[in-house]
Amino acid sequence: MSTLYGILLFGATVAFMEAFAYGMHRWVMHGRLGWLLHASHHRERHGPFELNDLYAVIFAAPSIALIWMGTTGGWGPPAVWIGAGIAVYGAIYFGFHDIIVHRRIAHRVVPRSRYFKRIVQAHRLHHAVETREGTVSFGFIYAPPVERLKALLRKGDRSGVRAPKGGSTDLHD
């Protein structure tokens, strides 16, 4: 297997993982069964961990298995490249979501680019809803335009919309 093919397979895996993560977030994590773990992420966290963190373990398992089987189990280099793509997507997710957006590790990074600002705003709009239904923006490294997300929130059922500290649920800001 050529290195170029491996790099293409790796890149395709990272791109596929965004689509996969979107679907898992929207229809599994916000579904009836998946909400059992994910609900903790839409509530105030007490301590360094939340039940939702178990998803990291669940999603890391295929990556570990593919790398292991690719290096020792006879599956060969394609499995390693795919497993590495899944792992890198997980690292990107951890960096954007857990560190930059949720500040689970102290840092001084201030999103300044339009892209970073859009990702952070989109995820904050996702968390404007405390319930499993009625929320917007399920991707992690891609987010629709913020104005479109605000419009979707305005159109939806407002029962799960979290009131900001000022008490208003106005999405016109």
Side-chain angles (χ1 to χ4, degrees):
M1 176 176 175
S2 74
T3 302
L4 177 60
Y5 176 71
I7 291 169
L8 290 172
L9 188 56
F10 170 84
T13 300
V14 173
F16 169 80
M17 286 305 298
E18 176 66 1
F20 177 80
Y22 175 94
M24 291 298 293
H25 189 193
R26 183 168 189 170
W27 292 294
V28 174
M29 293 175 166
H30 280 261
R32 290 186 190 273
L33 185 60
W35 188 250
L36 295 172
L37 297 179
H38 191 59
S40 66
H41 185 61
H42 283 262
R43 299 190 180 108
E44 185 178 343
R45 184 177 60 250
H46 301 285
F49 299 106
E50 55 193 40
L51 276 175
N52 185 69
D53 293 338
L54 290 174
Y55 279 118
V57 176
I58 293 166
F59 295 140
S63 174
I64 294 166
L66 284 163
I67 293 169
W68 177 268
M69 293 304 291
T71 56
T72 65
W75 288 10
V80 175
W81 286 105
I82 293 169
I86 295 169
V88 165
Y89 181 84
I92 292 168
Y93 164 85
F94 180 74
F96 275 154
H97 181 264
D98 289 332
I99 296 176
I100 292 175
V101 176
H102 287 290
R103 299 183 157 291
R104 290 182 72 172
I105 295 174
H107 64 83
R108 295 181 185 196
V109 175
V110 176
R112 298 198 193 284
S113 74
R114 288 188 335 198
Y115 171 73
F116 274 115
K117 287 178 182 180
R118 183 163 141 177
I119 292 293
V120 171
Q121 288 175 318
H123 200 72
R124 288 193 178 136
L125 289 172
H126 176 79
H127 280 276
V129 178
E130 292 179 313
T131 59
R132 69 181 185 89
E133 297 172 350
T135 194
V136 296
S137 189
F138 295 92
F140 296 111
I141 59 176
Y142 169 77
V146 172
E147 290 308 316
R148 186 182 328 153
L149 297 174
K150 287 181 179 182
L152 287 170
L153 279 172
R154 282 191 295 269
K155 280 177 34 179
D157 174 15
R158 303 289 295 239
S159 61
V161 175
R162 175 189 328 244
K165 292 183 175 141
S168 168
T169 57
D170 183 23
L171 297 171
H172 298 282
D173 299 335

